[in-house]
Amino acid sequence: MNFLKRAGKSIVARKGKTMIMLIILTVIGSLVLSGFAIQNAAKSAGEEARKELGATVTLQVDRQKQMQERQASGERGRPEEVKISMKDVEAIEQLDEIKSINYLSQATATASDIEPIESESTNSGGRAGGEMPEGMTMPDFSLNGVTNMELLDSFSNGTLKIVDGEALTTEAKENSVVIDENLATENNLKVGDTFKLKSTTTDETQKLTIIGLSASSDASSDASFRAAGFMDPMNQMYVSNETLAGFANEDGAVSASSVVYSLKDPSEIEAFKQKATAVSSVDWDTFTLDANDAAYQKMVGPIEQVASFSKSVVYLVSIAGGLILALLILLSVRERRKEMGILMAMGEKRSKLMGQLLVETFVIAAIAFLITYATGGMTSQFMTDQLLNREVTEAASAVTTDGFGGPGGRGQQLLATIPQITEMTTKIDWTTLVQVVQIGSVIVFLSVLLPSLMLLRMNPKEILLRED
């Protein structure tokens, strides 16, 4: 009888064994398929997260290194601010990976013919935060020097928006300014009006023209804003870096406190950092290129944990499932010892007997694969939802207990500003199916090969006379 026919008859005759193997192979296939589907979904979600956050690299002072050096030398107080020379970064601007550049700088000013929004803690001294030490002036306003307001993170995520007029861009005229709509209302100002500010550094007075009114959803009730009114979002203004230079230093030299590079492709971040370090004359002992991966890691942290767990599941299930299947086939082969011995005594080749066992197992595996394919989408999505919900919950708990206080504290506020991924959609594509078939085939082949070799290496007489 043809060994293929014998395999078919054996599958039908041994219904119990066939059903057990079908269940085992279906479970193995479902878990392996779900594992690969979850990993692919996590990869896609991570790529979407990076695109949503954008590929930005910030050139700024290495604060951590600066603080470590000060602590080592015993110095205290706030480190001296170091500016970035525009000439030092000219070479970086020419790199092909860059899509846009935003130079950022800060300065302060006092009121000349415009009054700031007073904070709740304003005392009888007239300015928020009380009296300043002799020789120092409490600022009324924060000036933010930018190349383009539309490139700011706060503008992109909707925290800052223009409610009248236009945003400050490279096309804005000299001495243009964007101020908060509440500040404008308090001073009866509108787009097109002018006012004067006095620098706290140079004592120079400049006339600015309002080109836009902004609105910020930042929490103005924060303690730092109450302590220093010029830090309140309503008292912050946006000007060009050239305009700000007149408020910042005596010679009016244009510099920046940080430079934000937006890249064309998120995958080019590391390549860009290496090229920028090589071509520029920036002092890399003082400055650093920060890819700002904190938000990205916070956003994709839960899905990376899920992907890591699913990868472990694939390995564990493949190994454990293979061992269980091998044991089951070994027991089945031992029970069929006489059948194999008689067939070999009748002249049947060992290769065909092994082929019969392989055909039987692969037929059952094929049926299991069809069941897995039919239920794989639902199974993988259920596993993804359960695992992701657990990781998101743990991530939220870690933030609220890791030095940020309890519910409603700064930890919760920080978590709320970072858009975590709380949903992942798994898809069963051809790549995933091929991976499952490959792993399943290896498991089945090894599970059949090893037990059958233990029996078929003996001659027919030894097989028939063996009692164990």
Side-chain angles (χ1 to χ4, degrees):
M1 183 186 296
N2 188 294
F3 77 93
L4 295 176
K5 291 183 179 180
R6 289 201 308 267
K9 288 181 177 292
S10 178
I11 292 173
V12 176
R14 296 177 173 82
K15 295 183 179 63
K17 292 281 192 305
T18 299
M19 188 56 64
I20 293 174
M21 289 184 63
L22 180 63
I23 293 173
I24 293 175
L25 287 168
T26 301
V27 172
I28 294 173
S30 296
L31 292 176
V32 171
L33 180 65
S34 298
F36 282 124
I38 291 172
Q39 290 179 54
N40 291 336
K43 182 179 179 180
S44 298
E47 291 174 353
E48 290 299 321
R50 174 60 82 181
K51 290 178 181 178
E52 182 178 338
L53 289 174
T56 61
V57 179
T58 303
L59 174 62
Q60 59 188 1
V61 173
D62 191 340
R63 296 295 182 190
Q64 184 176 3
K65 183 178 180 180
Q66 194 178 51
M67 292 302 297
Q68 289 174 347
E69 291 176 348
R70 290 177 64 83
Q71 290 173 0
S73 62
E75 297 182 35
R76 294 186 177 182
R78 185 175 181 178
E80 182 181 353
E81 186 175 6
V82 183
K83 294 292 186 178
I84 301 171
S85 170
M86 296 298 187
K87 292 183 179 180
D88 291 340
V89 295
E90 287 179 350
I92 299 179
E93 297 177 12
Q94 309 305 317
L95 295 179
D96 295 335
E97 290 85 355
I98 297 176
K99 180 174 65 175
S100 61
I101 305 174
N102 202 13
Y103 294 95
L104 307 178
S105 54
Q106 289 81 36
T108 56
T110 57
S112 180
D113 57 4
I114 180 175
E115 291 298 320
I117 300 292
E118 301 289 357
S119 66
E120 296 177 359
S121 62
T122 300
N123 54 32
S124 58
R127 293 288 179 238
E131 297 182 0
M132 292 290 291
E134 185 177 354
M136 296 184 65
T137 303
M138 170 62 77
D140 293 314
F141 304 101
S142 292
L143 300 180
N144 298 298
V146 299
T147 304
N148 189 338
M149 281 185 66
E150 296 175 351
L151 298 178
L152 295 173
D153 289 339
S154 56
F155 199 93
S156 301
N157 62 31
T159 305
L160 178 70
K161 59 183 180 180
I162 300 297
V163 295
D164 190 17
E166 58 186 24
L168 187 74
T169 65
T170 54
E171 298 177 358
K173 295 180 179 180
E174 187 177 354
N175 289 348
S176 296
V177 64
V178 173
I179 68 174
D180 186 85
E181 61 174 344
N182 297 289
L183 180 64
T185 301
E186 287 290 320
N187 288 273
N188 296 319
L189 296 173
K190 62 183 183 299
V191 174
D193 289 347
T194 61
F195 62 87
K196 295 179 180 180
L197 290 181
K198 184 178 181 181
S199 170
T200 56
T201 304
T202 66
D203 287 333
E204 293 290 331
T205 300
Q206 290 195 52
K207 178 189 275 188
L208 303 178
T209 302
I210 301 173
I211 64 169
L213 302 181
S214 64
S216 173
S217 58
D218 281 345
S220 59
S221 61
D222 189 273
S224 62
F225 294 151
R226 294 197 301 269
F230 70 95
M231 295 178 64
D232 192 306
M234 291 185 290
N235 288 327
Q236 294 192 21
M237 303 180 183
Y238 296 88
V239 297
S240 68
N241 289 288
E242 289 74 18
T243 300
L244 185 131
F247 288 94
N249 49 65
E250 295 287 351
D251 58 8
V254 180
S255 59
S257 56
S258 62
V259 184
V260 180
Y261 299 98
S262 297
L263 307 185
K264 300 173 183 177
D265 188 343
S267 64
E268 296 179 340
I269 288 180
E270 290 304 319
F272 168 75
K273 290 171 66 175
Q274 293 177 3
K275 290 182 181 180
T277 304
V279 303
S280 72
S281 56
V282 172
D283 180 9
W284 296 112
D285 289 332
T286 303
F287 298 94
T288 184
L289 285 168
D290 182 10
N292 194 22
D293 282 341
Y296 174 74
Q297 293 300 331
K298 189 66 185 176
M299 192 174 188
V300 303
I303 68 172
E304 287 183 343
Q305 291 296 326
V306 170
S308 177
F309 180 79
S310 66
K311 186 176 182 180
S312 300
V313 167
V314 170
Y315 287 127
L316 182 62
V317 169
S318 299
I319 295 172
L323 293 175
I324 294 172
L325 188 61
L327 178 60
L328 183 64
I329 294 175
L330 175 61
L331 294 174
S332 177
V333 168
R334 289 168 66 91
E335 289 178 359
R336 300 169 63 180
R337 184 178 62 248
K338 289 185 178 181
E339 174 191 342
M340 298 297 176
I342 292 171
L343 288 171
M344 288 178 65
M346 293 173 61
E348 187 67 280
K349 295 180 179 179
R350 286 180 171 83
S351 59
K352 288 189 176 182
L353 291 176
M354 190 178 293
Q356 177 184 335
L357 295 175
L358 285 171
V359 170
E360 291 177 11
T361 310
F362 271 110
V363 168
I364 299 173
I367 298 173
F369 175 77
L370 293 176
I371 298 174
T372 298
Y373 176 70
T375 61
M378 181 176 60
T379 303
S380 59
Q381 189 62 57
F382 175 78
M383 290 179 60
T384 300
D385 293 341
Q386 297 301 313
L387 292 171
L388 187 58
N389 287 338
R390 186 190 68 178
E391 294 298 335
V392 169
T393 301
E394 290 182 358
S397 300
V399 171
T400 57
T401 58
D402 189 19
F404 289 97
R410 292 291 290 172
Q412 290 283 21
Q413 294 177 20
L414 175 62
L415 184 63
T417 62
I418 301 175
Q420 284 186 304
I421 296 176
T422 57
E423 292 183 1
M424 282 169 50
T425 302
T426 56
K427 295 180 180 179
I428 309 299
D429 54 20
W430 284 108
T431 302
T432 304
L433 292 176
V434 170
Q435 290 175 316
V436 174
V437 170
Q438 289 174 340
I439 289 182
S441 299
V442 172
I443 291 175
V444 169
F445 184 78
L446 293 178
S447 299
V448 173
L449 180 65
L450 298 178
S452 59
L453 283 177
M454 295 175 63
L455 179 66
L456 299 179
R457 62 184 174 82
M458 298 183 291
N459 58 51
K461 184 178 179 179
E462 289 177 325
I463 293 175
L464 294 172
L465 290 177
R466 195 179 181 99
E467 295 183 357
D468 57 337

